[in-house]
Amino acid sequence: MSHYQKPPELYDGLRLHQNENTGGCSPRVLEALAKLRADEIGFYPPYTAATEACARYLGVTPERLALTNGLDEGIMAIAVAHLRPAAGGLIPEALVPEPAFEIYRFDTAVAGGRLVQVMPKPDFTFPLDDVLAAITPRTRVVFLTNPNNPTGVPTPLGAIRTIARRVPKEALVFVDEAYAEFAGETFIPDLPSFANVVVGRTFSKAWGLAGLRIGCLVGAPETLEPIQQAVPVYSVNIAAAVAIQAALADPDHLRHYLRQVAESKALLYATCDRLGLKYWKSAANFVLVNAGDRTAALVDGAAARGVYLRDRSTEPGCAGCVRISTGIVEHTQRCIAVMEEVLCAAA
Ligand SMILES: Cc1ncc(COP(=O)(O)O)c(C=O)c1O
């Protein structure tokens, strides 16, 4: 297995390569952090208030929610809980419709599971029949993302229900909703009918808290229990636990960002149409653009001008593709100016 290639630490320009909120968090978060007392930092963190705030936000009771140190930690815990080879020799299988968030692949390998990839259709619509055909008695986790990363294309809730009904009884269906705020759609209301489904959420994207590392898993308590065993007991720090409450108390900050994202996507689509670039309509805060044989010129030329984009051309089905965060309108406009400059120079 090749190791996860963490994107380089580029903080001296415009970061449009990791789907972060480039406008940052709510000012209320900074106020709450500034009020933290020395003794609060001296103690192991309490989680009741932060868990209740997240549960209220997601419309569930607190026992159906587990905080994690970023959703990344929740995904690793799922792999550790469900994808370790069993004593009898069975190698658990993780089913991943591609292209997908590459962490699923790496965490599956770390746990010792076997990766079963389902290759994408050219238009990136969800390959339900192929996913169903790839389910085996050894399937233990199905990793689904709605909307998907890196395509931004939605995964139909009906397809998730069908998969959840068809997997072996030991299997878990994980629905990664890292970008759900942008899509306005969630599987959470379905969870009471599907005890084998866990939804993952993050506060890194729409809520602008990536640097603090906080996310959560939502599901039936008995389904969460074995996963929580694989999460260190104090993995979420006090700053994140305080910040999440302050962030959720400022929904206007989120609403503002969602409006900016919608406007940014429209601007980028229009630019792609003008420049003759193919793209996929996105339900997230980024757009996948096919720059064909101009991909390297675009990514390198933009980086030289201080705008960082994510080359996704080696991901399955993504030859020639670049992923561009579409958040704050002013940042998108800067990106568009750079794209026009680079691509016209490369033409
Ligand atoms: C689909 C998906 N899931 C999970 C994550 C990880 O989120 P977090 O920052 O909460 O670890 C990301 C981040 O890029 C993502 O794109």
Side-chain angles (χ1 to χ4, degrees), residues 18-19 69-73 75 101 104 145 147-149 174 176 178-179 201-205 210 213-215 286 323:
Q18 289 199 256
N19 307 339
N69 187 307
L71 183 49
D72 276 344
E73 186 181 59
I75 298 168
F101 184 46
Y104 308 146
T145 314
N148 197 15
N149 173 15
F174 174 61
D176 185 327
Y179 303 95
R201 301 286 290 237
T202 178
F203 299 96
S204 295
K205 309 296 180 180
R213 315 299 303 125
I214 184 157
F286 55 83
R323 195 192 62 203

Side-chain angles (χ1 to χ4, degrees), residues 5 11 66 137 192 233 315:
Q5 297 294 317
Y11 290 90
V233 279
E315 293 298 302

